[in-house]
Amino acid sequence: MTSGTSSPVTGGAARSGPATGGTGTGGAGVGAPAGGPRGRSARATGPRTGRPSAVWAVPGLLYFGIFAALPMVLVAYLSLTSWGGLGSPEFIGLQNWTRLVNDPLMHRAIWLSLLLTVLTWAVQTPISLLLGVWAAGPQRNRAVLSALFFLPLLLSSAAIAIIWRALLDPNFGPLAWLGPVLGLPTVNLLGGSNSAFLVIVFVSSWQFIPLHMLLYQGGARQIPASLYQAAEIDGAGRLRAFWHITLPQLRHTITTSSVLMVVGALTYFETVLILTNGGPGTDTTIVPFLMYRAGFRSWELGYASAVAFTLVVVATLVALLLVRFTGFGSMRSTKEGL
Amino acid sequence: MTVRLAEGPSGSPARQRPGPARTGPTPTRGRSKRDRPNVLAGMGVALWLVIVALPLYALLIATVQRAENYTSSGPFTPPTDPTLGNYWRAIENGLLGFVLNTAIVTAAVVAIVVALASMTGFAIVRSRTRWTTGVFRVFLLGLAIPSQAVIVPVYLIIVQLGLYDTLTAIVLPTAAFALPVCVLILVGSMRDISEELYEAMALDGAGSVRTFLQLVVPMSRSGLSTIAVYAALQAWNGFLFPLILTQSPDKRLITMGLFEFQGQYRIDIPGLLAAVVLSTVPLFLVYLFARRSLVQGMMGVGGK
């Protein structure tokens, strides 16, 4: 396999390169075409470019279209129907939408979702930024510790929610044991409306800070060391260097990470389902959970679609921001300018 | 022992050396002033270490605790007579079946995603027709379609296709939703293949298929492994599609299995947590042996 990559790199040896590399990638494919192109006919009719026709994009586009893009359109249509899961959806006009606009549960869900978004952002950004910048340092102990900090990422959302539910269990969990030891009354954190919400903020931070820490670590490693050396010559201390060099240099990373956090918080679902089931009462029923509840518990799939469509609109707006501010749209090579 | 003693004296001068030598090996970050131990950062990191490690420690301790001792012995003291019984119980309750289902789904998702994303990426990067830019835009917008937002129509489509309650029902949308990120990552790494290599292939008379198989695929291997890991993570940790699109116990994936366990064995927390730990083993192995790909795959969008 290595010969396959190393020989084309030399460029001049390209003619022999693909032939040797071909044995690794597809032995059968090499035999036939390798003989053909060498013949005069191919070259006489003009050089082949090896460029793919647009047909190459069709399977991917079709597949994505059917299972991701078409549902985007369908969700808009379904929001105008009444559908219980069996039979076919029945068109009812804007009824779901008038209901949605007047649904106090939906108002609450939107408020809670926004609150969750803002809180998780405010908790996660400073912590992951500081940890990431710290982990970007060359010291060996930092590498070891960051490897440890990475561990929550190996757990699925479901696993994390189950772990925290067990840890916070008022009867069997460590918290029940820790309370008396510290002389505190045993509290059911998942039973109180504010505390349950804060638990969700905490657990989502516990889950996602490692990811964002990695983003910031990567970002901080890109900062040229010469900037810090210059700052030191100017007599800037650690704090000022952080404020005037690290933070401005990380602004793209901050944008990317923030967008991911916002989209993540808007679509936060598993953890709520497992940890609180939207409760106590409806105190942690955020928009995605409300959608699930309306759709797959009450089987009001039309109404659920209206809720979902609201999510699509918000998510699309965020997507446009993402494309606009992080420069994904410019399709630039990472090696450009080097 | 003697070897270690012999190393001692030669080690100590080496230990003194870093002072003057420091300017050499650590030029990435500043020197003198910034070499003062950062007490504040140290404390912050120590606090975070406790927040991350303590729950994980309590998790592991709980899984080797006998169920009857779980509440009485305290969560942070290692058990005097550790047991693997909880793990056996988790396996007896059908965990391996869930793992097998998840492995099948994961393999299928990775295969679909790698095949489609690499072909699409190739077309986007190399095709001369203008509408491939449009294709790229479609995938960019697709980046932010949350699966929650379209789960109702996906359910409708799966039911219409007669695929409800099959593993295929999980595979199809999971792969579709992994596709945008993967196309994005691959377009990035395929753009880094230099124009001369393409020209050399073309001079050699290679058509698009051969260019793809012999140049593009080998040269974008790191991108391909990143997207394979990303797709595998999506499938392995996926929750919503299995929750909505399947119902029978023999179609359960690992995340759903854990969720069901939680409902059934509410009192048997050590058994539940043992199942959680077992469900993490495959990812942990990937972490040990392919950390780079895993990290890049996890960062997905952000990684670029």
Side-chain angles (χ1 to χ4, degrees):
Chain A
M1 280 308 243
T2 34
S3 78
T5 47
S6 61
S7 54
V9 166
T10 54
R15 186 164 300 226
S16 66
T20 48
T23 50
T25 44
V30 177
R38 293 270 158 86
R40 292 292 112 105
S41 62
R43 212 162 286 169
T45 53
R48 296 174 67 178
T49 58
R51 283 183 185 273
S53 71
V55 176
W56 281 75
V58 170
L61 198 64
L62 263 183
Y63 184 81
F64 180 72
I66 292 172
F67 291 104
L70 173 67
M72 277 274 275
V73 182
L74 264 180
V75 79
Y77 169 72
L78 284 173
S79 75
L80 303 173
T81 66
S82 163
W83 183 39
L86 298 169
S88 46
E90 182 190 333
F91 190 82
I92 56 163
L94 288 173
Q95 278 180 43
N96 289 321
W97 285 99
T98 46
R99 180 180 156 195
L100 181 125
V101 172
N102 296 311
D103 187 353
L105 255 183
M106 182 65 183
H107 299 167
R108 186 95 198 279
I110 290 177
W111 163 243
L112 288 175
S113 268
L114 290 178
L115 194 65
L116 181 71
T117 307
V118 171
L119 279 181
T120 47
W121 184 86
V123 171
Q124 292 180 38
T125 300
I127 298 179
S128 48
L129 197 155
L130 290 172
L131 282 173
V133 170
W134 176 84
Q139 294 86 336
R140 174 124 190 90
N141 65 334
R142 298 192 179 185
V144 173
L145 275 178
S146 347
L148 198 91
F149 289 164
F150 187 87
L151 288 177
L153 283 178
L154 300 177
L155 300 160
S156 62
S157 306
I160 286 177
I162 288 172
I163 292 169
W164 279 102
R165 198 176 155 137
L167 292 176
L168 297 174
D169 191 296
N171 299 315
F172 306 106
L175 204 72
W177 174 87
L178 210 59
V181 170
L182 298 175
L184 297 168
T186 308
V187 280
N188 183 2
L189 284 179
L190 291 173
S193 92
N194 287 334
S195 59
F197 192 78
L198 291 178
V199 164
I200 287 175
V201 173
F202 173 80
V203 171
S204 71
S205 303
W206 193 84
Q207 178 177 4
F208 290 112
I209 281 176
L211 178 73
H212 295 281
M213 177 186 146
L214 279 176
L215 289 178
Y216 283 115
Q217 184 187 20
R221 286 206 171 130
Q222 305 283 316
I223 303 175
S226 54
L227 289 180
Y228 290 103
Q229 284 154 8
E232 201 183 316
I233 290 166
D234 290 348
R238 188 178 277 135
L239 261 179
R240 284 188 59 196
F242 177 80
W243 193 255
H244 292 287
I245 298 171
T246 313
L247 272 187
Q249 287 283 317
L250 283 177
R251 62 185 186 277
H252 289 302
T253 317
I254 294 174
T255 319
T256 311
S257 155
S258 301
V259 172
L260 290 177
M261 280 180 195
V262 169
V263 174
L266 284 175
T267 57
Y268 214 51
F269 171 72
E270 289 108 298
T271 314
V272 175
L273 175 70
I274 294 172
L275 262 181
T276 66
N277 201 5
T282 55
D283 289 337
T284 55
T285 302
I286 53 175
V287 177
F289 187 79
L290 180 69
M291 190 274 306
Y292 168 74
R293 215 180 77 148
F296 298 96
R297 293 234 175 114
S298 320
W299 292 99
E300 297 173 303
L301 289 160
Y303 185 62
S305 299
V307 178
F309 191 75
T310 319
L311 257 187
V312 172
V313 171
V314 176
T316 312
L317 284 178
V318 173
L320 289 173
L321 287 178
L322 178 111
V323 174
R324 178 114 178 68
F325 286 115
T326 56
F328 285 144
S330 56
M331 305 202 296
R332 253 185 263 118
S333 153
T334 48
K335 283 185 186 163
E336 214 164 82
L338 286 182
Chain B
M1 278 304 255
T2 43
V3 178
R4 205 170 290 163
L5 278 173
E7 269 176 12
S10 69
S12 53
R15 213 169 291 147
Q16 286 161 2
R17 216 177 298 146
R22 196 170 288 161
T23 45
T26 54
T28 39
R29 276 292 146 90
R31 286 160 287 162
S32 54
K33 233 175 212 173
R34 295 174 63 81
D35 275 350
R36 271 182 295 127
N38 194 339
V39 179
L40 220 61
M43 279 160 55
V45 168
L47 183 65
W48 186 250
L49 180 64
V50 171
I51 294 176
V52 170
L54 204 59
L56 294 176
Y57 173 74
L59 166 72
L60 288 179
I61 289 295
T63 59
V64 291
Q65 198 84 264
R66 286 178 201 285
E68 59 271 22
N69 296 341
Y70 176 61
T71 44
S72 57
S73 62
F76 305 116
T77 36
T80 45
D81 54 341
T83 169
L84 288 179
N86 301 314
Y87 288 94
W88 286 120
R89 211 160 51 250
I91 288 170
E92 275 165 16
N93 287 333
L95 193 81
L96 291 184
F98 306 153
V99 171
L100 185 68
N101 282 343
T102 316
I104 294 170
V105 167
T106 303
V109 167
V110 170
I112 293 177
V113 166
V114 167
L116 293 181
S118 55
M119 286 171 66
T120 311
F122 183 41
I124 289 173
V125 174
R126 292 296 293 170
S127 179
R128 280 242 172 85
T129 38
R130 198 167 302 151
W131 68 270
T132 48
T133 320
V135 173
F136 191 57
R137 290 255 156 78
V138 169
F139 281 109
L140 276 179
L141 278 181
L143 269 183
I145 306 179
S147 50
Q148 285 90 342
V150 291
I151 186 66
V152 176
V154 165
Y155 173 76
L156 174 69
I157 291 171
I158 291 294
V159 169
Q160 292 297 320
L161 291 175
L163 292 172
Y164 181 74
D165 201 23
T166 61
L167 291 182
T168 317
I170 304 171
V171 171
L172 293 176
T174 306
F177 278 88
L179 214 46
V181 170
C182 295
V183 168
L184 191 79
I185 293 174
L186 271 189
V187 164
S189 70
M190 284 178 183
R191 264 175 207 289
D192 287 344
I193 303 173
S194 76
E195 186 64 35
E196 292 96 69
L197 294 180
Y198 284 114
E199 278 164 15
M201 285 301 283
L203 271 181
D204 207 34
S208 53
V209 175
R210 222 180 104 200
T211 309
F212 178 71
L213 288 179
Q214 291 181 10
L215 175 66
V216 177
V217 170
M219 287 297 281
S220 46
R221 264 204 321 253
S222 82
L224 285 172
S225 66
T226 302
I227 68 164
V229 169
Y230 176 82
L233 281 171
Q234 298 300 307
W236 192 270
N237 290 338
F239 186 84
L240 187 68
F241 291 131
L243 174 72
I244 304 288
L245 302 175
T246 60
Q247 60 177 10
S248 22
D250 63 322
K251 301 292 181 331
R252 240 167 236 160
L253 299 201
I254 190 99
T255 46
M256 286 311 297
L258 293 179
F259 184 47
E260 294 292 323
F261 277 176
Q262 189 188 35
Q264 288 164 21
Y265 309 104
R266 186 144 290 189
I267 307 299
D268 181 14
I269 291 179
L272 176 66
L273 293 181
V276 167
V277 171
L278 283 179
S279 78
T280 316
V281 168
L283 263 188
F284 191 70
L285 291 179
V286 177
Y287 179 59
L288 287 184
F289 297 112
R291 186 154 161 228
R292 213 178 113 79
S293 290
L294 182 69
V295 170
Q296 283 177 342
M298 280 195 169
M299 292 208 277
V301 189
K304 264 321 272 184

